Amino acid sequence: MSRGYLLLAMVCALALGGCSYRPLYGTASDERGVVGELASVAIPEADSRLGQIIRNDLLSSMRPAGTAGEDRYKLEMKIDRGRTNVIDKEQPNVTRNAVRVSVDFALLEGEKNVYSGKTFSQISYDVVRQPFADMQAENDATERVAHELSTDIRTRLAAYFASR
């Protein structure tokens, strides 16, 4: 490696060291860090299967077994689910439906709303006019939507905690 490349690498390393870049899930010794903040979010029981899937995903990614902290925050979610036909009905042999779910969420500290947002996802699936296959396809699409939404909510909460 020539001296020019070595000098350029050293300048880049010094420049990056002086900026305020921090890894999202990194912690400093004097801070709780994003991971600690996420572990202190309580997520109430859900009243639907879709809500259970989202809640379970959030719990397993934010509060894995043995890492839950003191409940400083509470995450409230309002889930709205719909199903639509994506392909025009003029095509008699082809049917494609979509599961569309939106979630309004609010992060509460005590009674105070400190962060809120809305996220949505839509996943389509084929309808083959076989009752069991159609039901299973819709269930699979619903589970995929739930996993996407929980990942998005966790990422937004992590970004909020990192920016404080």
Side-chain angles (χ1 to χ4, degrees):
M1 179 184 285
S2 70
R3 288 181 189 237
Y5 287 121
L6 184 60
L7 182 61
L8 179 63
M10 289 176 56
V11 168
C12 288
L14 288 173
L16 283 176
C19 75
S20 62
Y21 171 78
R22 292 184 313 166
L24 180 60
Y25 294 104
T27 60
S29 60
D30 59 342
E31 297 178 12
R32 284 181 45 100
V34 172
V35 174
E37 294 289 342
L38 287 174
S40 66
V41 176
I43 306 167
E45 292 287 332
D47 58 354
S48 67
R49 177 67 182 138
L50 178 61
Q52 282 179 330
I53 296 170
I54 294 172
R55 178 181 186 267
N56 290 343
D57 274 359
L58 288 171
L59 286 174
S60 66
S61 63
M62 292 169 40
R63 299 175 76 139
T67 63
E70 177 187 338
D71 292 342
R72 294 182 52 208
Y73 305 97
K74 179 180 176 185
L75 181 67
E76 291 185 348
M77 295 182 286
K78 180 181 173 233
I79 301 169
D80 184 31
R81 181 183 189 275
R83 182 177 61 188
T84 59
N85 190 332
V86 209
I87 294 185
D88 190 4
K89 294 183 185 219
E90 294 175 8
Q91 300 177 1
N93 296 330
V94 178
T95 304
R96 189 153 179 90
N97 288 347
V99 173
R100 178 178 169 81
V101 178
S102 63
V103 178
D104 292 310
F105 62 93
L107 183 67
L108 305 174
E109 186 172 16
E111 295 296 318
K112 180 183 174 192
N113 183 347
V114 293
Y115 180 73
S116 62
K118 183 172 186 168
T119 184
F120 76 95
S121 181
Q122 176 173 313
I123 293 187
S124 58
Y125 61 95
D126 291 327
V127 176
V128 294
R129 294 178 182 80
Q130 295 292 324
F132 183 75
D134 293 343
M135 179 186 68
Q136 190 61 44
E138 183 176 353
N139 288 343
D140 289 346
T142 301
E143 286 187 20
R144 290 193 320 250
V145 163
H147 295 309
E148 283 185 9
L149 291 172
S150 65
T151 300
D152 188 45
I153 291 169
R154 185 197 68 230
T155 303
R156 289 177 184 216
L157 292 175
Y160 165 73
F161 287 129
S163 66
R164 291 185 347 149

